[in-house]
C-alpha cells in the first residue's frame, strides 16, 4: 500500500489521542478549542476539497486540515486520492472502519471524514460584496432546520447566511450534514449581533424583510407585482413596496416563537407566506425556502 | 378531582398493559394491530379533537379514540376538557407524568397524547373530489421529511398526499410530529400502488409533473408563463405546456435516488426547480415546497 499523498500506516487504534481529538469536534467546546469542524461522507468531503483547491489557486484560506478514509472508500472514490495529491497542505491518513466510526458523529460516515477549518469571515466582508440576497436566521435552534435552510439559501443563490447569537452552531455535525456540502458554497457568519447585522446591511442599501405569518404584505402579491413590473416596463415604475427584486435581507425566526417584536421592528416590511390550507403556521425551513426562492426569481427576472 | 369527561382515577402504573399498548403505537406492528396511531402534544391533539368534533357533526369517521393527559396540562389548557366533554365517544384518562412519558415517543410530550384511528380513505375517494393539487411521495424514507412535506402540502392547500408503497410510514410518531397537526387537515393515502395512483388521477384530468433536477422544464419559466397568461387574457391561450394552473399531481422521489426512470416515464412533464447557487441538488422537502407553492399560486391567480 503506497498511495500518493497517503502517509504512514493505517490507523487502527480507536483509543488513540488523535481519534479522540477528531471525535471531540462533535462538541461545541471541541470545535472552539481547535477551530475545526467535521465534514462527513463523500459528498461533503468532496465539496470541502474542491473549495480547498479553489482557494489554494486564488490565495484564499485553506479549508481542509486532514482527511481520514478507509481503503475501501478510496478504492470506490479514486477522486479523493487525486484531490489529496494536489492539496499539499492536507494531511491524509488511512484508517480502519472502526477508527472512522469512532471519529464520526454519524452511524454510517461512508468511509471518509475531513477535519475542516472554521472559516474566518465577517459581516463587513460580506457587506463589501454588495450582497443582493442574505438570509439572517434569528435563534433557529434545530440543527437540521439550520442546515436545510442554509442549503436552500445556497440553492437560491444567496450571498451569505447569518446566524445571530443564540442560534444553533451550524458547525455541529448534524447541521453540517443537513447542508449536504452547501456550507462550503457561501459565506456563513455565526454568533452575529442582530442590531449590528441589520445596521451594516441596511447601510449597503438592502431592504430588510421579516418573514412573519401575521405580516401585512402577502408574498404572492409581491411576486405578482414584481412580474408585472417586468412585463410592463421597468422604467414605468410601480410604486408598491417592497420590491422583491431589490437587494434583500430576509429575517427568519426561532421555530417555536418566530421573530421577536424587537427584531421585527428593525425590518422595513413584514411579509407573510400565504397559507392556502387549514394549517396554522409553516415550518421555518418551508417559509424560508418560499421566501428566498421568491426573491431569487424576482432578482433574476427583473435585474438582468 | 371530578372533571367532566374524565373517568376513574389517575393512572400511575407505568407497567400497566394499557401503557404498553399505547407505547407500542411507536412501532409499525403496534399500529397495524390496533389500527391506531399516536398524536403527541397540545397542538397535534387539539387538531385531532377539532377534526373529531367536526366529523361527529357531519357524519364523518371518528378520529380520536382516547386521550391521556396530566392534571397540570389540563389546568394549563382548559379547552381539552371542553372538547372532551363534547366528544362522547372519546375515553379520557388522567395520567401521571411518568405514565405519559412511558406512553409517548417524544422526550417531552408536553402533558398530553391522544390515540387516533388511522383513517379509512382511498384513492378513489380522493379522485371523486376532483382534486386540483396532489402530492405523490415516491419512496421518501425520512419521517421528518415526510412530515414536513405533508405540512407544506397542507399549507399550499393540496387536496391530498399520497405515499407509494416503500415509503416511510407517515403514522410513525416522528413523522406525525413533523406534520404539527397537518396530518388531520387533508386526506392521506398510504402504501399506494404507483401505477394505479397515476392512472386514477390522470383519468380525473390531472397533469402529472415529475420534480426532477434534470427536468427539461424550468419551474420559474412555468411560473412566468402562468402569470403572463393571467395578465394578458385567459382565453387568448398561450400554448406552452405544462400550465401550472391546471389540476396537477406532483411526483417527488426518494431522498438519495430521486424518482426512478419508470416513475418519471409516467409523468407528462419533468420539471426542474432552478438552482441559482453552486449546489448540486435540493433537499426533497425544499423542492416539494417550491413546486407545491408554485402550483398553488398559479391556480389561485388564474382560476378565480
Amino acid at each position: 500500500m503506497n498511495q500518493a499523498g497517503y502517509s504512514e500506516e493505517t490507523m487502527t487504534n480507536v483509543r488513540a489521542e488523535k481519534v479522540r481529538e477528531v471525535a471531540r469536534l462533535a462538541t461545541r467546546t471541541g470545535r472552539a478549542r481547535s477551530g475545526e469542524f467535521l465534514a462527513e461522507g463523500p459528498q461533503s468531503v468532496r465539496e470541502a476539497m474542491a473549495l480547498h483547491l479553489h482557494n489554494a489557486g486564488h490565495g484564499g484560506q485553506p479549508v481542509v486540515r486532514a482527511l481520514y478514509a478507509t481503503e475501501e472508500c478510496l478504492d470506490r472514490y479514486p477522486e479523493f486520492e487525486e484531490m489529496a495529491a494536489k492539496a499539499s497542505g492536507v494531511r491524509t491518513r488511512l484508517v480502519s472502519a472502526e477508527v472512522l466510526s469512532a471519529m464520526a458523529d454519524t452511524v454510517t460516515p461512508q468511509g471518509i471524514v475531513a477535519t475542516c477549518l472554521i472559516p474566518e469571515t465577517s459581516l463587513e466582508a460580506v457587506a463589501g460584496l454588495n450582497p443582493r440576497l442574505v438570509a439572517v436566521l434569528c435563534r433557529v435552534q434545530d440543527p437540521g432546520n439550520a442546515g436545510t435552510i442554509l442549503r436552500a439559501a445556497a440553492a437560491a443563490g444567496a450571498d451569505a447566511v447569518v446566524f445571530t447569537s443564540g442560534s444553533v452552531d451550524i458547525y455541529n455535525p448534524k447541521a453540517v450534514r443537513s447542508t449536504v456540502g452547501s456550507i462550503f458554497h457561501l459565506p456563513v457568519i455565526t454568533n452575529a449581533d442582530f442590531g449590528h447585522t441589520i445596521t451594516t446591511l441596511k447601510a449597503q442599501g438592502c431592504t430588510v424583510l421579516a418573514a412573519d405569518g401575521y405580516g401585512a404584505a402577502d408574498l404572492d402579491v409581491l411576486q405578482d407585482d414584481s412580474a408585472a413590473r417586468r412585463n410592463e416596463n421597468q422604467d414605468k415604475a410601480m410604486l408598491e413596496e417592497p420590491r422583491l427584486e431589490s437587494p434583500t435581507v430576509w429575517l427568519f425566526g426561532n421555530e417555536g416563537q418566530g421573530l421577536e417584536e424587537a427584531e421585527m421592528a428593525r425590518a422595513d416590511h413584514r411579509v407573510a407566506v400565504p397559507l392556502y390550507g387549514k394549517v396554522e403556521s409553516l415550518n421555518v425551513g418551508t417559509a424560508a425556502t418560499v421566501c428566498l426562492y421568491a426573491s431569487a426569481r424576482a432578482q433574476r427576472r427583473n435585474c438582468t
Side-chain angles (χ1 to χ4, degrees), chain A:
Chain A
M1 192 73 222
N2 186 15
Q3 291 170 305
Y6 288 83
S7 58
E8 309 166 57
E9 72 280 21
T10 300
M11 289 171 68
T12 56
N13 178 8
V14 297
R15 289 188 188 79
E17 179 50 29
K18 174 51 74 185
V19 177
R20 292 219 292 262
E21 247 176 50
V22 175
R24 274 197 290 269
L25 297 181
T27 69
R28 200 184 263 259
T29 50
R31 293 191 294 277
R33 195 174 304 155
S34 66
E36 296 175 9
F37 69 102
L38 196 63
E40 303 172 281
Q43 181 159 6
S44 202
V45 173
R46 195 178 294 120
E47 305 280 1
M49 289 294 283
L51 181 61
H52 184 94
L53 293 169
H54 173 89
N55 282 4
H58 294 78
Q61 299 170 23
V63 176
V64 179
R65 182 162 276 177
L67 203 148
Y68 303 93
T70 62
E71 197 170 339
E72 188 190 359
C73 175
L74 295 182
D75 286 345
R76 185 162 171 196
Y77 301 107
E79 71 259 42
F80 288 115
E81 285 187 72
E82 293 156 22
M83 288 176 139
K86 286 184 207 156
S88 57
V90 178
R91 280 181 294 131
T92 51
R93 286 297 298 272
L94 280 174
V95 299
S96 67
E98 291 72 26
V99 163
L100 197 79
S101 285
M103 286 176 160
D105 184 68
T106 29
V107 183
T108 54
Q110 296 179 268
I112 192 161
V113 301
T115 55
C116 301
L117 291 158
I118 293 174
E120 285 177 31
T121 184
S122 68
L123 199 63
E124 286 64 29
V126 166
L129 300 170
N130 287 321
R132 298 193 53 79
L133 185 57
V134 176
V136 177
L137 277 64
C138 300
R139 299 162 296 103
V140 167
Q141 293 301 308
D142 180 76
N145 272 342
T148 303
I149 296 172
L150 191 150
R151 186 180 177 192
D159 297 293
V161 176
V162 178
F163 292 90
T164 67
S165 54
S167 303
V168 67
D169 185 356
I170 189 69
Y171 295 109
N172 156 329
K174 184 172 193 305
V176 172
R177 280 199 299 281
S178 299
T179 73
V180 193
S182 298
I183 199 164
F184 300 108
H185 288 155
L186 80 179
V188 178
I189 312 286
T190 58
N191 208 27
D193 177 77
F194 177 79
H196 177 66
T197 301
I198 300 306
T199 305
T200 305
L201 294 171
K202 276 192 175 176
Q204 290 296 319
C206 289
T207 299
V208 177
L209 303 182
D212 169 28
Y214 301 99
D218 177 303
L219 186 69
D220 277 0
V221 172
L222 300 187
Q223 290 194 77
D224 282 348
D225 287 352
S226 167
R229 273 194 292 278
R230 177 62 173 178
N231 286 338
E232 299 190 359
N233 189 329
Q234 278 200 77
D235 302 324
K236 213 170 88 186
M238 292 166 75
L239 293 171
E240 295 90 343
E241 299 290 344
R243 298 164 168 240
L244 283 183
E245 61 269 30
S246 306
T248 296
V249 173
W250 276 103
L251 308 183
F252 305 111
N254 168 275
E255 288 89 347
Q257 288 85 44
L259 289 165
E260 287 174 354
E261 197 50 48
E263 289 162 348
M264 287 202 277
R266 295 294 312 273
D268 296 305
H269 302 274
R270 304 181 189 195
V271 180
V273 175
L275 297 175
Y276 295 118
K278 279 179 279 182
V279 310
E280 283 182 22
S281 67
L282 288 173
N283 171 288
V284 60
T286 301
T289 295
V290 174
C291 293
L292 292 168
Y293 257 89
S295 288
R297 178 166 164 251
Q299 293 181 351
R300 273 155 189 82
R301 187 208 303 113
N302 293 29
C303 306
T304 50

